[in-house]
Structure formats: C-alpha cells, structure tokens
Amino acid sequence: MNKAWALLRLASPQLPIGGYSYSQGLEMAVEQGLVDSQDSAARWIADQLLLNLARFEAPLLLAHCTAAASADWQALGELTEQHRASRETRELALESRQMGYSLRQLLDGLPELDQAARDFLAGQHAIGLAAAWALAARAWQIDAQDALAAWLWGWLENQLAVLMKTLPLGQQAAQRLTSQLLPQLEQAQRLASALEPAHWGSAAFGLALASMAHERQYSRLFRS
C-alpha cells in the first residue's frame, strides 16, 4: 500500500478531531491588532513555529510518536502526563483534551490498531492530542518524523484558516503566505528533532496572554 495515503489521512483536515474549531489565541491577536496584515501574520506564525513549537511542542510530540512506534508504553505514559501538565491556559488544555477524545473515538474503531496500543489506550482516563496522534501514527505505520511533519503541517494549515476567517485574507494570499512560511516549518522540524529533552521548553508569553484573553472575548468564531 502507498505510504503516502496514510500520511495524507493523518494530515487531512477531514480527520474528525475538530482542529478547525480552535485558533490557539490567534483570533484574539487579531482582535487586539497584534495581527492585522499578511506581514504581521507571517511574523506571528513564524515566531510561534521557531520560538514555541520547535522548542517544546514539536520535540514533545516527536517523543510521543517515537515511544508509541517502539511500544515503550511507560515512556508514552510519562510523556502524556508531561504534555497534560504543560497546558498553560484553560483554552489550550480543553483543546488538547477535546481533540484527544475525538481521536480516541476514532482509534477505538480502527481495525489497524494493535492490541498493545488498545491496552494502553484503555488504561488512559483522558488522553491528550499528542498521545492519540502518536497512536494513530502507530496504527497507520507512519514514521515518527513523518507524523511530526503531518502535525506541523496541520497546525500551519489551521492557522491560515483562522486568518482567512478573521482578516481580509483570501485563499491566494494564504497560499503565498504558505510559500513564505514553509522554510520556517522545515526549520522548526529540524530544530525539534535535534533538541535534547533537557533543553525542551519555551516561554511564549504573548501566546499565553492571547489565549487567556480569548477565553473572555465577547464575540468569537473559535472555541475557547
């Protein structure tokens, strides 16, 4: 079977986990005028990629995928707890929990998921997106690096979708922005892959503040 099909399936916005429902604070950044043009949007997204995701979220997700692929269930459980504890705001915690729950519902019905993975899943009271993503990659025999690439691509695609709904940014402009940001996406994956666990961590204060403010935003399109 063509391995690209499994990768496209994991990265597809049709994956029924609800990623399109969340903006990760970007809607509030638009509301506050921090993001008001294609240039400022590019800066916001590039900063999130290189100063936040590449330093913590991405290497943590890669470790999840590596542990699941090698059936190191103890390590995966510890990483799951670390991921849960790292959610800085209520909005980010609910996003991970809800998307993890939705992906778990899908995993429960997948014939490709092996018994060892099912046993791990059954032992989790609540599973976050990172662990569920890693189990989906295991079920579809997707390499950990490719699973990380799919996750980064999905994150970027969702951020661009947020911008098209909140800014006067059309599809062609979004595609130009994609071309502009692809080198940063590649750089984020390289940095995440090379970072030792002792150096994982970020201090994305702007994201945390935007996310907290979004929880109280009067009128919004995205969940908080």
Side-chain angles (χ1 to χ4, degrees):
M1 183 179 293
N2 192 332
K3 292 183 178 180
W5 293 339
L7 186 59
L8 290 169
R9 183 181 183 184
L10 183 62
S12 172
Q14 295 302 314
L15 192 69
I17 59 176
Y20 59 86
S21 301
Y22 298 92
S23 77
Q24 294 205 344
L26 181 53
E27 183 176 25
M28 191 67 226
V30 173
E31 173 75 14
Q32 294 175 336
L34 299 172
V35 175
D36 58 5
S37 65
Q38 183 173 329
D39 288 342
S40 58
R43 286 194 299 273
W44 176 274
I45 293 176
D47 283 350
Q48 293 299 335
L49 278 170
L50 300 179
L51 303 179
N52 181 28
L53 300 188
R55 296 184 179 187
F56 184 71
E57 296 281 347
L60 185 57
L61 182 114
L62 180 60
H64 277 77
C65 294
T66 301
S70 61
D72 191 341
W73 305 116
Q74 180 178 348
L76 184 58
E78 292 171 356
L79 289 164
T80 298
E81 291 300 319
Q82 186 176 356
H83 186 267
R84 182 182 296 117
S86 70
R87 303 303 86 192
E88 294 180 295
T89 68
R90 180 176 179 272
E91 176 181 50
L92 296 176
L94 288 174
E95 176 185 1
S96 177
R97 189 167 65 195
Q98 178 60 54
M99 292 175 67
Y101 171 82
S102 298
L103 189 47
R104 179 179 190 158
Q105 298 300 107
L106 173 63
L107 290 169
D108 280 338
L110 284 181
E112 303 99 311
L113 193 67
D114 62 290
Q115 189 59 50
R118 291 187 187 279
D119 290 343
F120 173 83
L121 193 60
Q124 300 297 305
H125 172 66
I127 192 166
L129 176 62
W133 190 272
L135 292 176
R138 176 185 173 89
W140 294 330
Q141 299 181 3
I142 297 171
D143 174 80
Q145 283 288 344
D146 288 341
L148 172 60
W151 180 80
L152 285 168
W153 171 258
W155 179 89
L156 176 61
E157 190 174 41
N158 183 60
Q159 291 287 280
L160 293 173
V162 173
L163 291 172
M164 284 190 288
K165 293 175 182 177
T166 56
L167 283 181
L169 187 77
Q171 291 181 331
Q172 291 191 18
Q175 285 297 326
R176 289 193 294 271
L177 193 53
T178 301
S179 295
Q180 182 179 345
L181 290 167
L182 280 177
Q184 281 79 20
L185 200 69
E186 179 74 18
Q187 185 180 356
Q189 181 169 6
R190 289 199 307 270
L191 290 172
S193 302
L195 201 62
E196 294 294 330
H199 299 293
W200 292 355
S202 66
F205 299 120
L207 172 64
L209 291 171
S211 179
M212 287 188 289
H214 188 242
E215 295 173 11
R216 302 184 302 276
Q217 186 173 341
Y218 174 70
S219 178
R220 58 179 182 265
L221 299 173
F222 299 89
R223 295 182 67 174
S224 64

